[in-house]
Amino acid sequence: MAYKQLEVPGVGTVKLYKRRDARALKITIAHDNHIRVTLPMWLPYRAGLEFVKIKQDWIATHRRTQNVLLEGQLIGKSHRLRFVAAEYAPTQSTRVTTQEIRIMLAPNTQSSSPGAQQLAKQASIKALRQEAEALLPIRLKQLATQYGFEYKSVSIKQLKARWGSCSHQQHISLSLFLMLLPWPLIDYVLLHELTHTKALNHGKDFWDILLRCQPKAKELRRELRAHQPSL
């Protein structure tokens, strides 16, 4: 995948990705506020930059409305986020159990403050990793057995630009942020990467195999585009 990173006045960091399966320009705001633009291979990078300039008002609006992690929010499949106000603790801390993400706040600290939100995101990523490592390799193996795929290994990573990948050596990497998706979309991503063990590109062979396993694959792909791998 071709890639270029630039600094754009008034916007900040812009990362431009050319993808063979892209049919149109797409813009998203990453978890750290950088702008990600996906564009077809045949388009020049300057088209992506012009798209960013046209979308500056949209970018500013959506940056202001990015998600704030809230008390009681479900993170992944089994963790609830809890903000606990401490009366005397001078510093803030976090604790992740099997079902809870606890953020201990220093006195007079609001859960919406940048520091509290940063702690909550870090702890939430830890919880998502726990869930992903416990659940995704098992589910990948089940799907591989069900549909006759073979792979060499699977690893869980904090992938932010994609949901998963498969190498030429059939090593599959999965984003821990998959745990934020509903299971039908998780299964779609897992089958997508398993299909790459037989067809590395996104050509006709790839889609023939994937659609035999999941007839609604293209519908699920469109639904997946409404999500991004981040909190």
Side-chain angles (χ1 to χ4, degrees), residues 44-178:
Y45 286 113
R46 66 175 179 274
L49 287 176
E50 289 301 318
F51 189 54
V52 168
K53 293 174 182 177
I54 292 170
K55 290 288 189 178
Q56 276 189 272
D57 288 344
W58 180 91
I59 292 168
T61 299
H62 284 75
R63 271 179 169 163
R64 288 196 296 268
T65 59
Q66 279 191 313
N67 289 339
V68 173
L69 296 176
L70 302 173
E71 167 66 25
Q73 183 174 337
L74 179 64
I75 303 294
K77 304 305 177 193
S78 61
H79 286 84
R80 290 284 176 185
L81 185 60
R82 302 295 181 193
F83 291 95
V84 180
E87 293 185 24
Y88 306 107
T91 58
Q92 301 178 137
S93 62
T94 65
R95 184 186 178 198
V96 178
T97 67
T98 56
Q99 293 184 312
E100 189 174 80
I101 304 164
R102 182 167 292 224
I103 313 300
M104 300 296 295
L105 300 179
N108 302 315
T109 301
Q110 299 295 318
S111 63
S112 59
S113 69
Q117 285 292 304
Q118 183 62 24
L119 277 177
K121 287 183 180 181
Q122 291 172 351
S124 295
I125 287 171
K126 182 178 179 180
L128 290 173
R129 184 180 295 279
Q130 286 181 1
E131 292 187 10
E133 289 178 347
L135 299 174
L136 293 182
I138 294 172
R139 185 56 179 157
L140 186 71
K141 185 176 181 179
Q142 290 173 340
L143 291 172
T145 300
Q146 181 177 351
Y147 294 105
F149 292 106
E150 294 182 358
Y151 57 95
K152 295 291 176 55
S153 66
V154 57
S155 59
I156 307 300
K157 298 182 179 181
Q158 191 177 331
L159 302 176
K160 302 172 185 177
R162 55 175 60 190
W163 296 105
S165 65
C166 179
S167 73
H168 286 79
Q169 294 76 34
Q170 299 185 346
H171 299 298
I172 293 177
S173 297
L174 299 173
S175 173
L176 58 86
F177 294 113
L178 281 167

Side-chain angles (χ1 to χ4, degrees), residues 5-56:
Q5 178 173 322
L6 299 167
E7 293 297 321
V8 178
V11 175
T13 301
V14 175
K15 297 181 180 181
L16 301 150
Y17 296 86
K18 287 190 175 184
R19 295 182 64 99
R20 287 186 173 82
D21 59 342
R23 296 292 179 265
L25 286 162
K26 178 184 176 183
I27 189 167
T28 56
I29 301 173
H31 75 290
D32 60 359
N33 256 353
H34 82 257
I35 303 304
R36 174 187 170 89
V37 179
T38 303
L39 58 160
M41 293 294 292
W42 53 269
L43 271 180
Y45 286 113
R46 66 175 179 274
L49 287 176
E50 289 301 318
F51 189 54
V52 168
K53 293 174 182 177
I54 292 170
K55 290 288 189 178
Q56 276 189 272

